Amino acid sequence: MSYPDSSMSSTQDAIPGRDRVMRFMTAWHVSFLFLVAVNVYPLRFDPLQLEWNINQNKTATAALDYRGKWENHTHQPSPTNWRFPFYTLTIDRFINGDPTNDDINGTAWEHDITGTQLRYGGDVSGLQDTLDYLAGMGVRGIYISGSPMINAPWGGDGFSPLDLTLLDPHLGTIRQGQDLIADMHARGMYIIVDNTMATMGDLIGFEGYLNESTPLSYTEHNALWKESRRYHDFAFGNTELSECQYPRFWGSDGELVIGNGTENFKGCRDSEFDQYGDVAAFGLYPEWQRQISKFASVQDRLREWNPSVRAKIEHLNCLQITMLDIDGFRMDKGLQITADAEGEWSYHIRQCAAAVGKHNFFIPGEIVGGNPLSAVYNVEAYNDFIVTNDFINADSGLFDPRHMYGAENQDVFRWPSLLNGTLKGNLAAFIITLVLPGIPLLVWGQEQAFYILDNTASNYVYGRQPMGSQTAWQDHGCYKLGNSRQANWPSGPYADGCGDDWVSLDHRDPSHPVRNIFTAMFEMRRRYPVLNDGFQLQTLSKSTYDIYLPASQDQATETGLWSVMRARWPEFQDFAGQGQGNQTVWLLYHNEGINKTYDFNCSDNATALISPFATDIEGSEEYNGCLSNFSLPPWGYQAFVPYEKWLSPSPVITKFGPGHDQRPLTDRVRNTVAIEIHFSDIMVCEEVLQSLTFQSTTTDGSQAMIDSNSTTCRQIAVADGDVSRLTGSPTGEIPSAFRFSVNLLEVTHGIHSVIVGNSTTKEGKASTNAAGADKFRYSLNWASSWSEWLPYRGGNDTLEEQPWFGTRAQNWTGQHVMVQYWSRVLGSSDYIQQGDLNGIATPRRYPHFFVHGPYNSFGYDNGLRQEMRQDRKGTWKFNFMTEWPTTFQLNAWGINPDGTPDLTRVFGDPDSDGILDRLSPVSLLANVVNVSDYPASPYVAYQIAANDGSLRYTLTPIGLRRNQMIIYFLLMFLPLITSIAGVFSYRHIFYAVKLNEIGKPEGRTLLPVSITSSKQLSRYFAKSNIKLFKRNSSNRSASTETAEYDSVDIFAAVPNPRRRTVLIATMEYDIEDWGIKIKIGGLGVMAQLMGKHLGHQDLIWVIPCVGGVDYPIDYRAEPMRIVILGEERIVQVYYHKLRNITYVCLDAPIFRSQSRTEPYPARMDDMESAIYYSAWNSCIAETMKRFPIDLYHINDYHGAIAPLHLLPDIIPCCLSLHNAEFQGLWAIRDPEEMEEISSVYNLSQDIVRQYIQFGEVFNLLHGGVSYLRVWQRGYGAAGVSAKYGKRSFARYPIFWGLPKIDSLPNPDPTDTADWNNELPTMEDTSVDPEVEAGRADLKRQAQEWAGLEINPEAELFVFVGRWSMQKGIDLIADVFPAVLDEYPATQLICVGPVIDLYGRFAALKLSKLMDLYPGRVFSKPEFTALPPCIFSGAEFALILSRDEPYGLVAVSLVFTLSEPLLTAARSNSAAKEPYA
């Protein structure tokens, strides 16, 4: 059955292959309206459903009359032993072997190639195509997760069947299912399918609770149908019965429940469904409540404890056995079925199976609970099982453990999704496969190290990526939801899958290292019977300790090394004649994530690592040998047998080149491709060549051929299997021992499969465009309807017009074509090509996008603009302004002709990963984008931008609040002003003549409003616009005069109130009278020159005291108390007077942690540096409070936010930019980081958002820029040259809020005279003979310092500065080899710290030049205090700055040259400087 959709009539007409199904369904849909009064409506036989209906009785009128049996078929007997490897898969998420059933219901919520929440398209044909891959791994059992019976069109997981007689047509027909199972049985494989037994779909609601959770009611609720759809074989009833025979209930302790609420059960409703209410999927409930409640509010629960209901379930389940020849049922939610009913059902099912020759029918169950309760249902951990569980086979009566153990399943996260998860998962696989007696159970993709997570709720985390090729799981592969059910959810590859192209490929790779590991383990079970059937599991010893993980509730996790033995029980097990017979296997493993060597005391039998092999351990008390130490890699494991019993693993393919599902691009029609195959064992080259065959699917029908003359074979020893770059190679990877390579000829566009004989797997694929497709279909109306699937032959095809109807707003311009392709080899139909005719240049994949949300009542309010527009690049954009916070969704079709929103293409982001998703129309999740944050100040709105190719969207703040306020006030006052102006204009025009009787002209104003003159207004704003923060000596704290601190009045040093007082704060400084120099680089030289030559101003100079330097104490001032991370910190303060400079020395451990040569923190993005700069800015702000400051001079980012500590008081500031690329950045990616960084800097989050935050970054320099923008109208920023200011403004967006960045020339600070633009003449130039006389000695000193050849005739070049691209160090490294070769007298000295990769590479080149030109080149790529001779002894200064001026260090160097020659890069602004 299916959900009909009357709005899809065009789809039904367009697809004849589905039309007959849809007409049949629609007829049922109508018939429901006339049969409401009937309790049950049996699904009578109808030939239109023959392909899917397991009821073949044409005359049946009741469920118990249904009949069905596979005619002319002998059913496969059950195996006597079920202990072989099983493989779990959800058919829809496996391989697409038949595209015609992808959208068989004709709705818009079935196969979705752009999303992960609807169907993928897998079916039984795809599974049959993949049996070689599974059998080659050693898998003998397949468990089909999810019921194969019909689900909702979007119900790809299969756990909500709507009918127990119809197969889900998305999965295939009865015949296709029978072909699959017959093929499996022929290979010795078996199949079990999921049976939900007591739970169905979601068609029933409870009165008064249709849109909310229904509470438990012992008297039950009145039920009603949610829609016109009905269950055909079961019905509810609301008639109350006074007495009902309730089942027995069992508690989590394994005991019968007496009381605990069950005593309230008396009567019930005359219903075939439980109507007591519903429970959540997760939560703490007594198990008996789950057994009578609707599961998770979405699965109706049959009253299986009612014998008449159970009889129907038993009969309909039996039809699956007789019609399909399945070998077992896996009971979904086994504990949520009442125990007695499940026992009765099991007895009936075994009888049904025995009737067709299945005398060991397998019925495992899903158990989620403790061992006491699990014991009632025959499942739990092995050692306790022996004591508490019933291990007797109900069919044979023998002791027969058949517990199924898995390390992953379809309802939990993937191990490889976590960091080191592949290693942990493989250890778990080792335990379930070789350690625990029972059945190992894999889940699809586990052998390929799947790691993508695709759930939409953080409390239910799982990964269900398809095995086949697709792109959606990569598009949505960066998981953001987290895991609310796991404490300290770790990081891992799950967050980065959207950047991993491996995710989009086919994953039936037989050479994957993890698959080879599983293959080897399964082979060991076959070779050593004790690993498969030995029931003795004995711990020989262990070296472990307990750890307590977060949220473990004091439950210890045992950690360390285990030594265990798998063996037979000698009393009743004998494996003689089977494989290696009764050979015991010794297993060692540990669960620590490190390489570890364990040491043992062999004299202590309790803890020694004892081998079981020296003698037969069975019954022996003799000493068996001991290892004194043993090493394992992280989460490592090993299995041992005596040397003579060891068997080498069978050869496997360990790698295929160029790689499985590789897709090389080429413009050539016919190509030669080199392939290579790696094996784990030495192979016979000729036999490998003879075993190769090829299958090619190409447009021209050509087949690839082998060039046998190109064959090469060689032995190798390497572990190089192809894996995702995010999960990495696993421990225990089977290495390659042999490489076979050969060339393929005539490789044309298409898909080519390489088949290795004597192996049951297929190898690498390659595809280009549509070549290689087997079928295609097309749509001319944006997937509103599709053509039939047609054979793909290439070339040109005529496309027939397709009907479409809709509103004018839904219509589109131009003609758009969508073509979808399917390939059997790839097992996927997730390939669509789209294009436009009629000159549409902008690429588009959807006709429109409309923004719907609360702001426009989800489209019902047509008065508000809602349609997005595409820009030239194809990005859909919409300026979105509403009340915040809010939600929205994107709708591709908008409003239908009936005035309701179209729901077929609605996109939201329920998992918050930044990628748009589609959900089923009945999803309990709201498919919206949550906008929880207000647009950052000064913005008022967001621009929504969506890429319809990747479905990635962004929200960009736009619109200035200032502009909105201006418009608001204009709209408020303009009507008043214009109306008054109109009145006076009227008076002036019509009453222009007036007698002046007093002889004096009257004062006139245009407006009858008394306003201040423009001068008065300007004076008013000048006074009131900025509240200046000024502090003088009378404002000082009285505590400064106490005896604890020196009483000298430091403010007396500023006697002239007309002198300007400027505060500067630098970490580089030179205190002349103390002889203290701290790393005098560019900023330091600037500050040094300011101190020497700005005597006409008073300088308050804040400096930090660094470690390893003794500072004299002139005046001890009151300490500064600053707050960092909520704690008060004390900073000692000393004043030192030198001429017009007042040094404020800050002494604290945080400052002393730096050194004379490294005064700056090593990084500017970690917590330590954040604390340093917080203390620095806080101390600068405290200094401003102590001194009468006229101006604060900010140098770069270090002290840029100090004025923010004074708000709302402000102080005039200027900002000089020396190195604007360094800005002081810390991440603000979430509220926690915002709270942390705000606490570090002791600023409110509002201040941080308004001034400092730039995007998702805390930006110190932006804080200073914002201060200028807000309080000085953007005035006060300058670059250190004309070009540098302009280029910084253009390059860094943080400056774009300023009107401009002024220029600050970089001339000699000692030149304070008026400047004129006349060039100096030769007569004005003079040479100091005394200086020149001593230059030769200075050159000699420089050569000795650098270790160069002492050569008075040498021409010495010097570069001093930062080694970066901007300073041009790379040019020096590239050019000077030629200079040194051509001019033998040339010498070169380069000194300075490495800043970027240009500097790093230059350092390598210059180091090589030192070797090539000994005595002529000196390179020291680090900050170094230089002697004066370096500057004074050189002939040439190398100043090659690209886009910033040369620094003041270079200026000092130029002044000391005998010939001040400047060698500059062409783009350098030095050409405009006075010294150029």
Side-chain angles (χ1 to χ4, degrees):
M1 293 190 294
S2 85
Y3 278 5
D5 186 348
S6 58
S7 67
M8 297 298 292
S9 59
S10 61
T11 301
Q12 299 167 28
D13 294 338
I15 309 177
R18 283 182 283 163
D19 186 43
R20 54 195 179 92
V21 179
M22 289 303 300
R23 285 201 306 269
F24 178 54
M25 298 303 160
T26 305
W28 271 353
H29 182 85
V30 175
S31 70
F32 289 152
L33 303 179
F34 302 98
L35 298 174
V36 174
V38 181
N39 285 333
V40 177
Y41 324 112
L43 180 58
R44 297 176 178 84
F45 179 85
D46 193 302
L48 292 177
Q49 290 289 356
L50 182 63
E51 293 183 276
W52 303 279
N53 195 343
I54 60 176
N55 168 36
Q56 302 290 294
N57 185 357
K58 300 180 181 181
T59 62
T61 58
L64 295 180
D65 295 330
Y66 296 165
R67 296 290 182 270
K69 187 175 182 181
W70 189 343
E71 298 295 338
N72 302 317
H73 173 74
T74 300
H75 286 69
Q76 178 78 359
S78 300
T80 57
N81 185 348
W82 282 98
R83 283 181 294 278
F84 45 70
F86 264 80
Y87 190 89
T88 304
L89 61 92
T90 297
I91 293 180
D92 177 71
R93 295 297 170 86
F94 202 60
I95 297 297
N96 188 344
D98 181 4
T100 63
N101 56 35
D102 289 355
D103 302 292
I104 199 166
N105 285 104
T107 74
W109 297 281
E110 297 173 60
H111 182 215
D112 180 13
I113 71 168
T114 65
T116 64
Q117 301 305 309
L118 302 178
R119 290 184 182 266
Y120 166 68
D123 47 44
V124 295
S125 295
L127 174 54
Q128 186 173 2
D129 289 342
T130 313
L131 290 180
D132 282 348
Y133 167 85
L134 298 175
M137 188 167 53
V139 170
R140 287 191 59 203
I142 294 179
Y143 152 48
I144 302 298
S145 169
S147 171
M149 312 315 291
I150 187 169
N151 275 247
W154 42 84
D157 63 355
F159 285 102
S160 300
L162 301 172
D163 195 284
L164 299 183
T165 62
L166 278 180
L167 295 181
D168 193 326
H170 294 91
L171 308 183
T173 64
I174 292 174
R175 172 50 59 193
Q176 289 172 324
Q178 290 173 339
D179 290 344
L180 164 68
I181 294 173
D183 197 350
M184 289 180 60
H185 287 158
R187 299 167 183 265
M189 302 174 72
Y190 298 88
I191 183 171
I192 64 174
V193 300
D194 243 324
N195 190 319
T196 62
M197 186 172 173
T199 52
M200 301 285 284
D202 184 21
L203 303 184
I204 299 173
F206 299 119
E207 192 174 277
Y209 299 97
L210 285 180
N211 295 313
E212 57 185 296
S213 180
T214 308
L216 178 70
S217 172
Y218 292 103
T219 59
E220 298 195 88
H221 297 272
N222 285 330
L224 46 83
W225 296 107
K226 286 187 172 183
E227 53 180 281
S228 57
R229 182 67 181 263
R230 301 290 187 271
Y231 296 116
H232 284 275
D233 300 312
F234 303 95
F236 63 77
N238 291 322
T239 302
E240 297 186 20
L241 303 177
S242 58
E243 292 291 335
C244 293
Q245 185 63 44
Y246 279 91
R248 294 187 297 173
F249 296 111
W250 300 81
S252 58
D253 56 0
E255 301 294 332
L256 281 171
V257 175
I258 307 297
N260 193 27
T262 60
E263 70 276 7
N264 296 315
F265 288 124
K266 300 299 181 185
C268 62
R269 303 296 176 101
D270 184 15
S271 176
E272 293 183 311
F273 289 89
D274 286 328
Q275 299 172 201
Y276 298 95
D278 53 38
V279 297
F282 305 102
L284 298 177
Y285 305 94
E287 210 61 49
W288 64 265
Q289 289 188 12
R290 296 181 185 273
Q291 294 172 357
I292 62 169
S293 302
K294 184 170 182 175
F295 177 71
S297 304
V298 296
Q299 291 180 355
D300 303 324
R301 186 173 298 280
L302 287 169
R303 189 162 283 174
E304 89 288 342
W305 47 271
N306 184 318
S308 63
V309 177
R310 186 171 64 251
K312 290 184 185 180
I313 298 174
E314 293 167 350
H315 183 71
L316 299 179
N317 291 166
C318 182
L319 290 180
Q320 294 186 46
I321 301 173
T322 58
M323 280 292 292
L324 301 175
D325 197 5
I326 62 175
D327 303 296
F329 281 123
R330 178 262 194 186
M331 303 309 295
D332 181 53
K333 298 185 288 291
L335 289 183
Q336 296 186 27
I337 307 169
T338 55
D340 293 331
E342 194 163 8
E344 293 290 341
W345 174 89
S346 298
Y347 174 76
H348 178 90
I349 292 300
R350 286 191 174 92
Q351 285 187 319
C352 169
V356 292
K358 297 179 180 291
H359 297 288
N360 193 18
F361 194 80
F362 192 23
I363 308 179
E366 177 190 21
I367 302 297
V368 183
N371 187 55
L373 179 59
S374 302
V376 179
Y377 295 83
N378 301 327
V379 179
E380 248 306 330
Y382 185 76
N383 287 331
D384 290 339
F385 294 166
I386 301 298
V387 178
T388 61
N389 284 203
D390 181 2
F391 273 69
I392 303 302
N393 186 310
D395 284 312
S396 66
L398 300 176
F399 181 81
D400 189 14
R402 291 174 295 171
H403 293 63
M404 306 180 79
Y405 304 106
E408 298 178 12
N409 67 32
Q410 67 275 15
D411 288 322
V412 299
F413 64 86
R414 300 275 190 174
W415 272 115
S417 67
L418 307 181
L419 187 65
N420 297 317
T422 303
L423 306 182
K424 298 175 184 178
N426 285 355
L427 172 60
F430 172 82
I431 292 173
I432 66 170
T433 304
L434 302 182
V435 177
L436 295 177
I439 301 172
L441 180 64
L442 303 185
V443 68
W444 83 95
Q446 184 178 349
E447 78 283 8
Q448 299 287 331
F450 273 16
Y451 67 89
I452 294 295
L453 303 178
D454 52 13
N455 52 283
T456 56
S458 63
N459 64 348
Y460 184 22
V461 179
Y462 54 77
R464 299 176 183 174
Q465 175 188 346
M467 287 290 284
S469 176
Q470 41 63 43
T471 58
W473 271 262
Q474 180 180 351
D475 291 340
H476 297 263
C478 289
Y479 180 77
K480 304 294 185 185
L481 279 181
N483 189 338
S484 62
R485 296 179 63 82
Q486 300 286 333
N488 295 342
W489 175 243
S491 61
Y494 62 78
D496 302 308
C498 58
D500 186 3
D501 290 341
W502 177 87
V503 175
S504 293
L505 304 179
D506 177 87
H507 293 291
R508 291 169 291 177
D509 180 3
S511 66
H512 195 283
V514 176
R515 181 182 186 271
N516 285 337
I517 291 173
F518 291 162
T519 301
M521 289 183 185
F522 296 161
E523 184 178 57
M524 290 173 64
R525 289 175 63 97
R526 296 192 300 271
R527 288 177 167 180
Y528 299 94
V530 297
L531 294 178
N532 198 73
D533 298 313
F535 295 149
Q536 184 178 3
L537 173 61
Q538 179 180 348
T539 299
L540 302 179
S541 64
K542 58 184 178 180
S543 176
T544 63
Y545 57 94
D546 288 342
I547 63 173
Y548 293 85
L549 299 175
S552 61
Q553 299 179 345
D554 296 327
Q555 178 67 45
T557 297
E558 192 173 6
T559 305
L561 172 73
W562 281 263
S563 169
V564 301
M565 178 189 71
R566 281 292 302 277
R568 62 175 181 139
W569 268 340
E571 292 81 0
F572 62 90
Q573 283 190 303
D574 184 3
F575 301 126
Q578 305 176 36
Q580 295 301 302
N582 295 318
Q583 175 59 53
T584 297
V585 179
W586 185 23
L587 304 170
L588 293 167
Y589 57 92
H590 81 145
N591 60 349
E592 297 197 68
I594 57 174
N595 290 294
K596 185 167 183 179
T597 298
Y598 294 87
D599 297 315
F600 302 94
N601 182 2
C602 289
S603 63
D604 184 356
N605 288 339
T607 60
L609 187 61
I610 300 174
S611 163
F613 298 135
T615 62
D616 186 359
I617 200 170
E618 296 175 356
S620 172
E621 296 182 358
E622 297 182 18
Y623 180 69
N624 290 338
C626 170
L627 295 180
S628 59
N629 59 73
F630 188 78
S631 299
L632 283 173
W635 297 283
Y637 49 86
Q638 291 189 21
F640 294 95
V641 295
Y643 184 81
E644 64 274 9
K645 292 290 187 177
W646 181 81
L647 297 176
S648 174
S650 298
V652 294
I653 297 173
T654 54
K655 184 176 182 178
F656 172 77
H660 181 76
D661 196 7
Q662 288 300 301
R663 309 174 184 191
L665 300 178
T666 176
D667 294 329
R668 300 177 60 185
V669 176
R670 300 186 181 278
N671 301 270
T672 298
V673 176
I675 67 169
E676 61 181 45
I677 305 172
H678 294 192
F679 295 90
S680 62
D681 208 343
I682 307 302
M683 309 295 288
V684 178
C685 189
E686 185 61 29
E687 291 185 6
V688 174
L689 177 62
Q690 295 300 321
S691 71
L692 294 183
T693 57
F694 298 88
Q695 290 182 358
S696 299
T697 305
T698 59
T699 303
D700 60 5
S702 63
Q703 293 287 316
M705 300 182 298
I706 297 177
D707 179 7
S708 57
N709 295 325
S710 65
T711 303
T712 60
C713 296
R714 58 174 296 195
Q715 296 184 21
I716 58 176
V718 61
D720 58 350
D722 290 327
V723 296
S724 165
R725 61 180 176 83
L726 296 183
T727 58
S729 298
T731 298
E733 176 181 353
I734 297 176
S736 300
F738 183 82
R739 183 177 69 191
F740 170 90
S741 60
V742 71
N743 289 339
L744 300 185
L745 306 177
E746 300 297 315
V747 180
T748 60
H749 296 307
I751 300 176
H752 305 272
S753 297
V754 183
I755 303 172
V756 181
N758 298 322
S759 176
T760 56
T761 58
K762 293 184 178 180
E763 300 291 342
K765 307 175 179 73
S767 64
T768 306
N769 296 326
D774 293 285
K775 293 183 179 181
F776 80 100
R777 64 175 183 171
Y778 62 87
S779 174
L780 302 179
N781 51 26
W782 302 94
S784 294
S785 63
W786 290 90
S787 70
E788 292 186 67
W789 282 96
L790 305 169
Y792 180 78
R793 301 184 181 89
N796 297 324
D797 290 276
T798 300
L799 308 183
E800 299 180 1
E801 289 291 335
Q802 295 171 331
W804 180 88
F805 67 94
T807 66
R808 184 175 181 179
Q810 291 176 322
N811 206 346
W812 62 92
T813 59
Q815 192 168 13
H816 189 83
V817 180
M818 301 174 65
V819 183
Q820 184 178 4
Y821 302 94
W822 170 77
S823 165
R824 177 176 294 278
V825 175
L826 289 178
S828 176
S829 62
D830 278 30
Y831 299 94
I832 286 184
Q833 290 182 338
Q834 303 191 49
D836 283 285
L837 305 176
N838 305 328
I840 303 296
T842 303
R844 54 179 180 171
R845 298 166 184 85
Y846 294 89
H848 326 275
F849 273 122
F850 301 89
V851 179
H852 288 175
Y855 90 102
N856 64 354
S857 300
F858 286 90
Y860 285 102
D861 187 350
N862 284 324
L864 295 176
R865 179 176 173 265
Q866 56 185 261
E867 187 170 5
M868 304 182 77
R869 296 284 188 267
Q870 273 189 300
D871 62 17
R872 293 182 178 180
K873 296 182 179 180
T875 302
W876 296 88
K877 293 184 176 180
F878 182 82
N879 294 338
F880 186 41
M881 181 175 177
T882 185
E883 296 181 0
W884 316 105
T886 190
T887 62
F888 70 88
Q889 58 185 202
L890 303 187
N891 190 318
W893 288 110
I895 301 299
N896 281 329
D898 62 0
T900 62
D902 187 285
L903 302 180
T904 58
R905 292 289 186 275
V906 175
F907 298 87
D909 188 17
D911 53 1
S912 303
D913 64 351
I915 306 295
L916 296 171
D917 296 275
R918 294 179 62 214
L919 299 179
S920 75
V922 298
S923 173
L924 298 181
L925 291 173
N927 193 21
V928 296
V929 176
N930 285 292
V931 186
S932 56
D933 295 329
Y934 294 76
S937 177
Y939 304 106
V940 294
Y942 286 106
Q943 183 180 78
I944 305 170
N947 183 316
D948 62 6
S950 65
L951 294 182
R952 186 176 298 275
Y953 70 93
T954 58
L955 300 177
T956 304
I958 59 170
L960 296 178
R961 298 178 185 179
R962 177 186 62 192
N963 295 349
Q964 298 294 319
M965 293 299 295
I966 292 173
I967 294 174
Y968 175 80
F969 284 112
L970 286 176
L971 293 176
M972 177 183 294
F973 293 112
L974 274 181
L976 177 62
I977 294 173
T978 53
S979 62
I980 295 174
V983 170
F984 278 90
S985 297
Y986 181 83
R987 290 179 59 190
H988 177 74
I989 294 172
F990 291 96
Y991 302 96
V993 179
K994 184 176 181 181
L995 177 64
N996 185 351
E997 298 178 348
I998 63 174
K1000 181 180 179 181
E1002 295 181 350
R1004 292 264 186 175
T1005 59
L1006 179 62
L1007 301 177
V1009 181
S1010 177
I1011 61 174
T1012 312
S1013 68
S1014 60
K1015 292 184 178 180
Q1016 291 173 320
L1017 284 175
S1018 63
R1019 286 197 295 270
Y1020 170 76
F1021 285 120
K1023 293 178 180 179
S1024 62
N1025 186 41
I1026 297 178
K1027 182 183 177 184
L1028 290 176
F1029 179 83
K1030 301 281 284 185
R1031 182 66 65 93
N1032 54 43
S1033 59
S1034 63
N1035 300 127
R1036 300 197 307 275
S1037 170
S1039 63
T1040 61
E1041 302 297 333
T1042 64
E1044 183 179 356
Y1045 311 108
D1046 295 334
S1047 60
V1048 176
D1049 190 356
I1050 200 70
F1051 297 95
V1054 191
N1056 188 349
R1058 295 183 180 180
R1059 289 167 62 90
R1060 178 180 297 169
T1061 301
V1062 178
L1063 186 145
I1064 61 174
T1066 65
M1067 298 173 193
E1068 300 181 42
Y1069 48 88
D1070 176 13
I1071 305 179
E1072 292 181 53
D1073 56 338
W1074 284 355
I1076 296 177
K1077 282 189 178 183
I1078 305 300
K1079 187 185 178 180
I1080 302 299
L1083 279 176
V1085 171
M1086 180 279 299
Q1088 183 183 47
L1089 295 175
M1090 287 178 62
K1092 291 180 178 179
H1093 303 292
L1094 296 182
H1096 60 288
Q1097 298 183 359
D1098 294 316
L1099 301 181
I1100 308 299
W1101 196 335
V1102 183
I1103 63 171
C1105 297
V1106 301
V1109 177
D1110 293 329
Y1111 292 81
I1113 299 178
D1114 282 2
Y1115 310 119
R1116 187 185 304 274
E1118 178 184 5
M1120 294 181 180
R1121 289 172 169 80
I1122 61 176
V1123 177
I1124 299 175
L1125 289 172
E1127 297 182 2
E1128 186 177 79
R1129 313 291 177 95
I1130 303 298
V1131 178
Q1132 300 298 328
V1133 181
Y1134 315 116
Y1135 297 149
H1136 173 58
K1137 299 293 299 178
L1138 177 64
R1139 299 188 301 273
N1140 63 317
I1141 305 173
T1142 300
Y1143 289 101
V1144 179
C1145 306
L1146 307 176
D1147 196 352
I1150 185 65
F1151 299 128
R1152 289 284 188 174
S1153 63
Q1154 303 305 127
S1155 66
R1156 180 190 296 267
T1157 58
E1158 293 295 337
Y1160 302 101
R1163 297 175 58 181
M1164 55 180 176
D1165 60 355
D1166 60 351
M1167 179 58 69
E1168 183 176 351
S1169 61
I1171 293 174
Y1172 183 94
Y1173 286 116
S1174 172
W1176 179 242
N1177 281 272
S1178 296
C1179 289
I1180 296 172
E1182 289 297 317
T1183 304
M1184 294 178 188
K1185 297 178 182 179
R1186 297 188 179 191
F1187 290 85
I1189 305 301
D1190 294 302
L1191 178 70
Y1192 173 37
H1193 186 168
I1194 305 172
N1195 291 290
D1196 287 339
Y1197 72 89
H1198 310 98
I1201 66 170
L1204 300 181
H1205 288 278
L1206 305 178
L1207 293 176
D1209 297 329
I1210 71 163
I1211 187 168
C1213 297
C1214 66
L1215 171 63
S1216 59
L1217 299 173
H1218 302 262
N1219 301 308
E1221 65 269 26
F1222 301 111
Q1223 299 176 7
L1225 310 177
W1226 289 265
I1228 310 179
R1229 292 163 294 198
D1230 51 47
E1232 289 76 15
E1233 290 185 338
M1234 168 64 80
E1235 182 179 0
E1236 180 182 57
I1237 198 67
S1238 300
S1239 179
V1240 169
Y1241 280 91
N1242 194 31
L1243 293 169
S1244 69
Q1245 294 187 26
D1246 289 338
I1247 292 293
V1248 173
R1249 292 190 183 95
Q1250 182 178 0
Y1251 290 91
I1252 306 174
Q1253 184 177 5
F1254 190 76
E1256 294 186 348
V1257 174
F1258 184 97
N1259 188 313
L1260 285 178
L1261 186 57
H1262 184 245
V1265 172
S1266 299
Y1267 189 87
L1268 300 183
R1269 173 176 52 79
V1270 173
W1271 296 107
Q1272 299 178 192
R1273 299 181 181 177
Y1275 177 78
V1280 291
S1281 76
K1283 284 189 175 182
Y1284 189 61
K1286 293 178 180 179
R1287 288 177 177 171
S1288 296
F1289 185 80
R1291 177 174 296 172
Y1292 304 112
I1294 64 168
F1295 300 123
W1296 294 350
L1298 302 179
K1300 66 175 181 177
I1301 295 179
D1302 291 311
S1303 61
L1304 181 66
N1306 203 7
D1308 177 11
T1310 63
D1311 182 6
T1312 57
D1314 293 337
W1315 178 79
N1316 63 73
N1317 59 0
E1318 295 182 3
L1319 294 174
T1321 64
M1322 292 298 296
E1323 290 76 14
D1324 298 328
T1325 304
S1326 63
V1327 178
D1328 188 337
E1330 183 177 349
V1331 172
E1332 290 304 310
R1335 188 172 298 279
D1337 185 59
L1338 293 172
K1339 179 189 292 188
R1340 179 187 56 78
Q1341 295 178 32
Q1343 291 170 336
E1344 290 177 348
W1345 180 88
L1348 301 179
E1349 177 186 351
I1350 307 302
N1351 181 4
E1353 304 301 322
E1355 295 181 334
L1356 181 59
F1357 288 74
V1358 174
F1359 170 83
V1360 178
R1362 289 181 287 115
W1363 290 27
S1364 65
M1365 182 191 74
Q1366 290 174 330
K1367 293 298 185 183
I1369 184 64
D1370 57 311
L1371 300 177
I1372 297 174
D1374 290 341
V1375 169
F1376 256 81
V1379 175
L1380 292 166
D1381 286 337
E1382 187 168 350
Y1383 300 99
T1386 301
Q1387 293 181 338
L1388 173 65
I1389 296 177
C1390 292
V1391 181
V1394 173
I1395 298 299
D1396 58 17
L1397 288 177
Y1398 287 84
R1400 189 174 302 277
F1401 290 140
L1404 295 174
K1405 293 179 181 179
L1406 291 172
S1407 176
K1408 188 66 175 179
L1409 288 182
M1410 289 181 66
D1411 297 334
L1412 296 175
Y1413 303 96
R1416 297 179 61 195
V1417 178
F1418 175 75
S1419 169
K1420 192 171 185 179
E1422 60 186 55
F1423 185 87
T1424 305
L1426 299 176
C1429 62
I1430 300 299
F1431 300 94
S1432 303
E1435 281 83 10
F1436 297 98
L1438 295 173
I1439 306 174
L1440 287 82
S1441 297
R1442 280 187 165 90
D1443 60 354
E1444 63 178 56
Y1446 49 80
L1448 291 176
V1449 173
V1451 172
S1452 302
L1453 176 59
V1454 170
F1455 286 140
T1456 63
L1457 296 176
S1458 59
E1459 299 177 6
L1461 174 64
L1462 179 71
T1463 306
R1466 190 171 185 179
S1467 61
N1468 184 8
S1469 57
K1472 296 185 178 180
E1473 298 295 346
Y1475 307 111

